[in-house]
Structures are given as structure tokens and as C-alpha cells.
Amino acid sequence: MHEGHKPSRGVTRRTVLAGLGAAVAISAVGRHAAAATEKEAPQLAALVKDGKLPPLADRIPAKPMVVKPFEKIGTYGGALRRGLRGSSDHNGILRMVGNQGLVRWNMDFTEVLPNLAESWEVSADATQFTFHLIAGVRWSDGHPFTADDVVFAIEDCVKNSELYSATPAQLTVAGKPVVAEKIDDHTVKFTFAAPNALYLENLATPLGQHPTLFAKHYCSQFLPKYNPNLEAEAKAAGVAGWTELFRAKCGDIEIPSRWGNVDKPTLDPWVVKEPYSGGATRVVMTRNPYFWQVDTEGNQLPYIDEVNFGISQDVESLMLNVISGKIDIQERHISVLANKPTLSQNMEKGDYRLLTLVPSSAQQCQIYLNMTHKDPAMRKMFADKSFRQALSLGLNRQEIIDIVYFGQSEFFQAGPRPTHPWYHEKLARQLTEFDPDKANAILDKAGYDKKDADGIRKRPDGQRIFFAIDVIPTLYPDLVDTLELVKAHWAQIGIDIKVNTIERALYYSRGDDNAHDAAVWPGPGGLDPMLDPRDFFAFHPQGSRYAIPWTLWYTSNGEKGEEPPESQKKRFKLFDEARSTADLAKRGEIMKQLFDITAEEFETIGVCLAVGGFGVIRNNLRNVPEKQPDSWTWPNPGPALPQQFTFTS
């Protein structure tokens, strides 16, 4: 799976450490100014009057975080309607609701701002990060949120080897996990084994949410350390063991059960009322009475009463809901160029305006051949660089761009986008010309010169060259269309493929089991090459689909997975060095070395540069920026702060 103003990455997030004081000072002044005049939603005021809810002053911090509305002060009320697709679209909820980490991105995707941490200090060598939490924040059940929760989430949950096969990469440096230490009730210190200059940036992404994900007073009951009767309770609950029970009750960043338990306390603007569970046709979330943010006039957020996620089984149904005015904001699943004319023509009928998305991705369709395939013959074929080079030369990229993307792209392999200061010409442009004669010659020379009666080449072991490429049609329908053309192109050079359309859950499980032949995904790293380098080396346990066992080796410090070749190990070291380097120029020099190696190895095959996306916003929904980044690391629309979205009459 991934802008307010298009980021200029030369100065952007690299100034975070230097410019921190000013950002925090402004935020602190705002909190103090608004503290005396808090107001709340009428439905909550009624509950207070009936004695069913504590007064607002007892539910929010004395100095709550102040959010300046994008356009104007909002009004309370309404239900926001948004669409999900299929059975594993949980990140569609995360992007809208679950954005309450210690820090957050600004609208321009250029700076890290305070969030649940109102301020912080970073040691000179970037090994220690001391966070000062907003005092008085409460979980959605009214229990205080303190440093104990942050330490519990890291030390007891994320670093638990029975829950996590390896401590997530965002919390690991030099092969060692972070150490989280409580200083006082509202101060926590994170210490890394080596410099981690990118940690604040990583914290602002979805994968940085662990410190604020698990409430100790609730989730501790699902850990053996705190509950000696847990195995019996797990058995009584009908699950295999305590780890499964923990996941079901407390979830994780990117799994459906995060949104499947109405009893789990959260720090989000809205809490689950109708859960995301098997067979659900919708997910309903209602306002969190303890939410810890207010607007500039002291009104407790969110403005909107509830969020209703309808679950559609196909994009056509979702599009019909959009056109008929049954969706209030949507870009996910409908941001396909083929849909834009229809959406543009029906703006008046559907009573909506268009949302513009600026991609942070590099590649519209990246093809990953599984170089660690379980079948030795397939592994040998995919690991043959000349085989991959021939496939790239056998792609008629211009035809794909013209037919699937309406001419709105250009040839591209991988790497930072052309506007990025780290753009790498060879990594981006090599082997993008359409040259089937050269492709055939390379394949002949590589030992794939024999063909069957259908003109399909044979491997040296005599087997026909055939493999499946996994793709998720509900998430990226354009990639299915692209692969159908790829299939035709490669058939001309004697390669037979199957376009394997599967559900997202199966796509992930096949990858986790290393059971796929090949897969496609939009290639990341176009504007955020440090935050999502999965196409530059085997970094992401789910995303680097050309060698997932290598990623496990990297993230587990060699304890799991499969030992990768030296070129990968060298890139591991270079990346670790780069993310430990605060100086932008020096970091760029290190990444240039990494890109040089990636270009030489040519492990993945790109088609074309990622194209801009779009969505719709109902005309009566305001405070919504009409131009947003489109990225997993800026999980749109979350950083635009949906808690300050508001309806007008």
C-alpha cells in the first residue's frame, strides 16, 4: 500500500531538530490561551447533566493541545461517511482515525510537530530522545495516559519476542532495540544503541504509533507477566494461546483487530461502536468524550459526531455511492485515472468537489520477482540479473502509459522522483527502452534458448517458463490492467505469466510464507526515500517482495530469515549509517552509494513514474484541505486532522 504544497525535500524534514523550539513554543502558547473557555458537544453536555459523564474540565488536560481549524471554527454534529473495500481494508480506518502518535506531520509533509508529546529534547548524537507528554490526557475510558503506558507499549509489548518475531525496524538501531525509560509520570526517555537521526520522522508515520497504541491498564491483562491465568482464559475464549488473545483484544498498527474490539481504550477522536469484524457491512465510530484536543476557541474536538465506514465489495458500488452523494470524503480505491472523467462529470449531481493528491511514490507499478523462491529452479531464474534485464527490455512502457494511464506518466524504474535532490539517473532510467530483439538475445545467451510448441521458452531443466504475479484488484485495479499488457509483451519474448488477482489478506499471507512467484505494488520512496526504502534493499518484511527472507534476516539482526548476499549487507550498513547521520549533505552522499549498488543489482522492474491521484469532498464538508500529500508515511487524510472537519448546513 502509499500534498498541501509540494515538499521541497532539500530543506524539509531535515530542519526538524534545529527548528523544534519555535514549533513547540507556538503550540504551548495556544494551549494556554484556550484553556479557560472549553466547550463541548451537546450530546456530551447532556450526559454530564445527567451524571453519566464527568464534567469537561475533568476529561481533558488543563492545557489541551490546540488545533487551528483549516478554514473556520466548526459546528458540532453529523456523521461522516467514507468507504472501505473488501475484507482487509483496515488501513482505510487507520488513515482517517488512527493518527494519534507522540508527534505528527504538518500539512506540507515537511516538519514534525508536537502531538501527545508537547515537547522533546534530542541528544547531540541523536541516541537519546526525551519526550514530555501533555499532562492530563486520558484514554477513551477515562483512565490517565502517562509515561507508564509508553514504557509498557515498548518494553512489555513491542519487545516481547513471543508477540513480535523481531522488534520493528523503527525501534531498532545497530541490531539492538530501543530502551524506553520512565523519568516521571509525563516524561519518557528513549535510548538507542547508536545514532538514530530519523527517529522523529519515523515516529510521525503510521509505523511509529506503537508508543501510544497499548493502554497498560487494559492490555496488561493479556500478557502472562501480569496475568498468571492467561492461558486458561485464552482457552476459554476459544483461541490458540495468549498471543492470539492479545492480538484480538489489543490489535496492532496494521491488523483488522485494531478496530475489532469496542472495549479497547484509545486516544483517537472517535472510538469503535460497531467493530470491524468478519461479515461486517460497516464500521461505526462515535466521538471520544475524553479526546484531548480543542480548537482555537476552546471547543473540544472532534466536531463530527461519528464516522461511518461502509464496506463495499467492489469499486463499482463505491463509485455509485460517491456519484449519488452517499460519501462525504473518499480517495482510497476510486483514485484511478479511468474514474476521473466520470467523477468530474457528476460533481453537481453528487454535490461534491474534487480533492487533489500529490504522490510521494516513485513508481506506479513495481514488479517484484521472488529471488528467494522456495523452488530452487525458480529461485535461480529470478536471481539471474540478465533474466530480469531482458524482462525489462521486453516491456512496451509507452503502450502501458498511453492505454492505462492516459499518457500521464513517463518511463521509470525506481528511486527518488526527478524533482528530489537525490534523484539517481541510472536507478531511475536504465533498461526502460522497448527492445524485444535485445531482450530475446539476452534470454538466448542466458540459456533460455529452447521453446515449446507455443513459442514459450524453457528453463534449463526443461520446464516451461511460467509464473504468477500477485496483484490486489480491489486496491489497485490499474495494476491489473498494466499486468494484462505486461503478459502480452512478455509472451512476445517467450515468457508466460498469470495475472493472479487475489484479496489483500491472501496477498500478505502468501508473502509472509514466501509462497509467491512474483508480486506488484506501487514503488515507494519517491519523496521519502529514507522513510520507505523497501525498493532500494530488503528493508520491509512485507514490502520488499523480491526477498522477504532477507528482510527478516535484517530486522532480526541475523537471527531469522535467510542470509542475504554481500551487496544487500553492504546496503544494510550504508542505510544504518545514513539514518544515523544528521547532516543532510553527508546523508545524501551515503545514499548515493546505496543507490549506485541498487542500480547495479537491478532487483526490481519498474514500469512508469507514479501519477497524481484525486478524490472527492462533499460540498457541505469543510475544513478539508483540497490538496494533500498521497503517501503511506503521510497517511492521508489523517495528518489533515479530520477531528477539525465540520459540516455546514
Side-chain angles (χ1 to χ4, degrees), residues 197-247:
L198 291 174
Y199 186 55
L200 291 176
E201 297 163 286
N202 276 305
L203 261 184
T205 73
L207 297 182
Q209 293 175 1
H210 277 124
T212 58
L213 192 62
F214 303 121
K216 182 177 181 179
H217 70 280
Y218 180 79
C219 290
S220 59
Q221 66 183 303
F222 304 111
L223 291 178
K225 174 181 176 179
Y226 298 93
N227 183 356
N229 300 317
L230 189 55
E231 284 296 348
E233 292 178 11
K235 185 176 181 180
V239 296
W242 74 265
T243 57
E244 188 174 333
L245 186 61
F246 181 94
R247 292 289 185 221

Side-chain angles (χ1 to χ4, degrees), residues 366-371 373 375 378 381-382 387 391 459 464-472 483-484 486-487 490 495-502 506-507 510-511 514-520 545-546:
Q366 198 79 11
I367 302 172
Y368 305 92
L369 306 181
N370 186 358
M371 295 167 59
H373 202 290
D375 181 332
M378 293 283 275
M381 181 174 69
F382 290 152
F387 181 78
L391 294 191
R459 303 185 316 215
R464 173 189 177 104
I465 296 182
F466 171 79
F467 55 91
I469 302 183
D470 293 354
V471 58
I472 309 171
L483 285 179
E484 291 294 348
V486 170
K487 178 180 174 68
W490 285 353
I495 306 295
D496 188 20
I497 68 167
K498 174 186 177 183
V499 180
N500 193 31
T501 55
I502 55 178
L506 180 58
Y507 180 94
R510 280 169 59 79
N514 196 35
H516 61 299
D517 295 338
V520 289
R545 292 191 168 264
Y546 66 90

